[in-house]
Amino acid sequence: MGKFGVSEAKEKKLLEKMRHYKIWEKDLKEKFISAARKGGTKTNKTASGVYLKHIPTGTEVKCSTSRSRSVNRFLARRRLAEKIEDTVEGKKSRRQKKIEKIRRQKRKRSKRAKEKILRNKKIQSTKKSLRGKVQLDEN
């Protein structure tokens, strides 16, 4: 386990990403806030949520996903790196590509595309209906 309470591989990957986008620890302002989520007395008493601000870009992130402060610190840094990646890479970023792919999948099909799908379904159903059981003649 690393200093963020996650696996060494995840931590290494995050640190590489932060280094790539020039996010240095000295440029981060970190505060611990009470988690605004379910969890009862434990979350109300402890400040396990994390607020991060990257001073050069002014990008802010809050994270109170986990009950563990160290895990929240890791998740906040990962979110911050993703946000900065989105601003730097723009349309080319992995997250933006993923969002665009989902948008395309959810888009309504054209009339022509629907007709083509229905035509193929009809052909398939006729094929299946012709697959009747073979009866053998018993002599």
Side-chain angles (χ1 to χ4, degrees):
M1 289 282 201
K3 69 177 184 177
F4 293 120
V6 293
S7 69
E8 300 273 334
K10 284 183 180 180
E11 192 172 314
K12 187 178 177 186
K13 193 174 179 181
L14 172 68
L15 293 174
E16 283 176 19
K17 193 174 200 174
M18 287 175 68
R19 204 173 304 116
H20 181 267
Y21 291 106
K22 295 177 178 56
I23 305 168
W24 313 116
E25 285 292 327
K26 63 181 168 104
D27 295 336
L28 298 178
K29 183 179 179 182
E30 185 175 40
K31 287 183 190 174
F32 299 105
I33 54 177
S34 62
R37 61 177 187 83
K38 294 177 186 174
T41 314
K42 172 70 176 157
T43 54
N44 294 339
K45 284 183 178 178
T46 59
S48 59
V50 177
Y51 165 84
L52 267 183
K53 182 174 182 177
H54 186 240
I55 297 163
T57 59
T59 308
E60 298 175 342
V61 168
K62 287 181 186 175
C63 182
S64 59
T65 310
S66 172
R67 282 177 67 171
S68 165
R69 181 186 280 185
S70 57
V71 173
N72 281 335
R73 290 181 72 213
F74 168 79
L75 293 172
R77 279 167 175 71
R78 190 163 71 181
R79 265 189 214 158
L80 182 79
E82 285 174 356
K83 262 189 164 181
I84 291 174
E85 178 187 15
D86 286 348
T87 55
V88 170
E89 302 290 328
K91 288 276 184 191
K92 295 186 290 179
S93 77
R94 252 185 264 142
R95 206 172 87 189
Q96 284 300 113
K97 284 181 181 175
K98 199 174 186 180
I99 290 168
E100 194 56 42
K101 182 182 179 184
I102 291 168
R103 196 172 286 141
R104 278 195 310 271
Q105 287 172 345
K106 288 185 176 180
R107 195 169 33 213
K108 200 173 177 182
R109 286 195 178 101
S110 68
K111 213 174 204 179
R112 195 172 181 184
K114 282 182 193 173
E115 287 170 359
K116 184 180 177 185
I117 290 168
L118 288 173
R119 228 183 357 259
N120 288 338
K121 278 187 170 184
K122 188 73 177 166
I123 291 168
Q124 192 65 26
S125 70
T126 52
K127 274 188 209 173
K128 281 186 119 180
S129 66
L130 295 172
R131 290 185 201 154
K133 287 198 173 200
V134 178
Q135 300 227 343
L136 298 173
D137 291 334
E138 290 186 32
N139 297 353

